[in-house]
Amino acid sequence: MLEGVAHGTHTHSTTRNTVTEATNFAHLSPRLSVGDAEPDRNLALELVRVTEAAAIAASPWVGFGDKNSADGAAVDAMRSLLATVSVSGTVVIGEGEKDEAPMLYNGEEVGDGTGPEVDVAVDPIDGTRLTALGINNSVAVLAMAERGSMFDPSAVFYMEKLVTGPEAAELVDLRLPVKQNLYLIAKAKNKPINQITVCVLDRERHTRLVQEIRDAGARTKFIMDGDVAGAISATREGSGVDALMGIGGTPEGIVTACAIRSLGGVIQGRLWPTDDEEKQKAIDAGHDLDRVLSTHDLVTSDNCYFAMSAITDGDLLTGVRYKNDKIFTHSIVMRSKSGTIRTVEGEHQSRKWEPYTR
């Protein structure tokens, strides 16, 4: 009898403790919680719908040599899907001013106007020429962050960049010689220098940089366009790329910073005006052209989102595929507040997407 009572009491106590523990785990970490005025965690999967649409719309133009038509199709699709997202967004990094695109220009209001206020950075096709020629690493990209958190480059369209992964993030410095940064990356990754690969845009302006990389004993991997995909590869283990260096688009640098907030690693940038007029605009806007901008300077919010869908095959993702009446997409979506990175494989019925396809 006593044994039975004792056993019953023990069971009751255990049950109470289990309930208490379950209750404790039911509370979300304060770090992951969001207020009514902040972008909600569900936004990540909404954004991947937008980049999927842009990738699907652009894909019929792959290899047809018409980058403007490809870009126009992606812009139209992205803009249509953005209108369904529950945010009150303002495009701060858009196509209009740089590429003279008719839509998704800087200052355009996007979203359905019901949700939190956010900054929006878009690139319906990062790599329009890659799409037109059917070359790897063309992607559709979208990033969002809390209002006022994205860097305003004041119409300086290019910046010098250094991107690498988490191992060397605290060691590298854009002001150091190329050789020294590469040795720091090699040491942090515990690799010989001749196994370090640096992604570089294939441009004449990088002739000296390429020679410095090779003189240091490292290897180069050229990309024609689309340095967002190249920069993300530099932070991802197993991509075969250890760093990205060189001068590329400032908008792409800010988009990349949103991704790196989730991925870890670092992007450092320094504005690179192309002429005296651009230089004066930057000075008039209060920019210090010698300042090295960090990841946190480029996007100050720790609650930002990044989505990327492949148009053509690449180092990280598989491009849009067609089989019978199905369309297959491959995307990556990130949320910095939780540090969550998801790869998303989509299967779509092609007849449902006819309004967005060629």
Side-chain angles (χ1 to χ4, degrees):
M1 179 80 67
L2 290 174
E3 185 179 351
V5 172
H7 177 72
T9 304
H10 175 71
T11 302
H12 177 73
S13 174
T14 302
T15 302
R16 185 175 63 248
N17 289 341
T18 303
V19 171
T20 302
E21 289 174 7
T23 302
N24 288 339
F25 281 112
H27 291 292
L28 188 69
S29 163
R31 189 182 182 282
L32 301 182
S33 64
V34 291
D36 292 340
E38 296 178 89
D40 182 74
R41 65 185 62 81
N42 296 329
L43 186 59
L45 297 181
E46 288 296 299
L47 298 190
V48 82
R49 292 173 55 242
V50 178
T51 55
E52 283 175 343
I56 290 170
S59 63
W61 293 97
V62 170
F64 272 86
D66 186 350
K67 67 178 186 179
N68 290 333
S69 292
D71 194 43
V75 168
D76 287 346
M78 181 171 278
R79 191 167 188 258
S80 295
L81 268 291
L82 266 175
T84 70
V85 179
S86 297
V87 294
S88 178
T90 301
V91 176
V92 297
I93 302 294
E95 286 221 322
E97 192 171 348
K98 180 180 177 183
D99 296 331
E100 299 181 0
M103 289 181 284
L104 290 173
Y105 53 85
N106 292 353
E108 182 173 351
E109 300 298 321
V110 295
D112 68 3
T114 64
E117 295 185 346
V118 294
D119 286 347
V120 181
V122 298
D123 202 341
I125 302 181
D126 184 36
T128 52
R129 185 165 59 137
L130 303 180
T131 301
L133 297 178
I135 295 174
N136 284 7
N137 284 319
S138 173
V139 294
V141 176
L142 173 64
M144 285 189 184
E146 293 170 271
R147 178 66 53 86
S149 62
M150 287 187 187
F151 179 73
D152 178 6
S154 302
V156 179
F157 297 127
Y158 292 93
M159 69 191 315
E160 184 183 0
K161 302 176 189 176
L162 169 59
V163 180
T164 192
E167 303 91 341
E170 301 298 323
L171 303 175
V172 295
D173 191 320
L174 192 57
R175 294 164 293 194
L176 294 175
V178 169
K179 182 177 181 178
Q180 189 171 347
N181 275 322
L182 291 175
Y183 272 89
L184 288 169
I185 292 169
K187 184 177 180 181
K189 293 195 166 199
N190 196 27
K191 294 167 67 170
I193 190 72
N194 62 8
Q195 290 182 16
I196 295 296
T197 300
V198 183
C199 186
V200 183
L201 275 168
D202 188 8
R203 300 288 187 273
E204 187 176 344
R205 62 179 178 259
H206 290 147
T207 301
R208 180 179 174 184
L209 169 64
V210 169
Q211 192 59 53
E212 289 184 65
I213 292 168
R214 292 172 176 169
D215 287 346
R219 300 182 288 190
T220 55
K221 178 178 181 177
F222 286 113
I223 53 175
M224 286 181 59
D225 294 295
D227 68 352
V228 172
I232 291 174
S233 293
T235 68
R236 296 290 276 167
E237 188 175 351
S239 69
V241 176
D242 300 286
L244 176 136
M245 293 182 172
I247 296 160
T250 304
E252 289 82 354
I254 296 165
V255 171
T256 298
C258 290
I260 289 178
R261 278 288 212 161
S262 299
L263 291 163
V266 67
I267 177 171
Q268 294 181 1
R270 184 161 45 198
L271 295 177
W272 194 78
T274 57
D275 54 35
D276 289 340
E277 182 182 354
E278 211 173 282
K279 182 177 181 179
Q280 192 58 52
K281 279 185 181 180
I283 292 170
D284 292 345
H287 291 302
D288 177 359
L289 297 179
D290 294 321
R291 180 188 176 194
V292 173
L293 300 161
S294 68
T295 309
H296 291 198
D297 293 321
L298 295 172
V299 56
T300 59
S301 172
D302 190 38
N303 193 16
C304 55
Y305 298 81
F306 173 90
M308 179 172 77
S309 297
I311 300 167
T312 59
D313 289 346
D315 297 329
L316 299 173
L317 299 170
T318 303
V320 178
R321 293 280 195 275
Y322 292 84
K323 185 176 181 181
N324 300 326
D325 62 342
K326 298 288 177 62
I327 305 173
F328 298 88
T329 56
H330 196 195
S331 308
I332 188 168
V333 59
M334 313 176 195
R335 178 180 178 237
S336 65
K337 196 174 184 73
S338 61
T340 302
I341 302 164
R342 292 183 173 91
T343 55
V344 180
E345 295 183 358
E347 179 180 315
H348 316 266
Q349 294 184 30
S350 58
R351 62 186 176 83
K352 304 279 190 178
W353 289 86
E354 286 176 359
Y356 300 103
T357 55
R358 186 178 174 188

